[in-house]
Amino acid sequence: SGHCAIAFSAATIITLLTKNVLIMTLSIIMGLLVAQTRVEAKVHSVFEAVIGSLLGVLVTVLIFQLFNL
């Protein structure tokens, strides 16, 4: 799911840039809510939502690692 990928990418960016645990937690909850709504609306299966979420996290971490050289 592209929506899940974007939501978890945003959550990953927020988590990597902030030191505030509350903000980190809220951003992860935001990603989970996006994934939940995609599954509840029967737009995507749970598997597709999980794969999209993992893809968003992995691509974001990879980009952060590349630019952190």
Side-chain angles (χ1 to χ4, degrees):
S1 169
H3 289 93
C4 293
I6 292 170
F8 272 91
S9 176
T12 304
I13 291 169
I14 291 167
T15 300
L16 291 172
L17 293 179
T18 188
K19 303 287 185 206
N20 190 330
V21 176
L22 177 63
I23 301 300
M24 290 179 195
T25 304
L26 291 174
S27 69
I28 293 168
I29 290 172
M30 173 199 65
L32 291 171
L33 286 173
V34 170
Q36 177 188 4
T37 58
R38 303 309 288 171
V39 172
E40 280 185 2
K42 296 187 184 351
V43 176
H44 295 291
S45 67
V46 174
F47 178 75
E48 291 169 336
V50 169
I51 293 300
S53 302
L54 289 175
L55 187 63
V57 170
L58 292 174
V59 168
T60 304
V61 169
L62 177 68
I63 290 171
F64 265 73
Q65 290 296 319
L66 287 175
F67 286 109
N68 200 18
L69 298 175

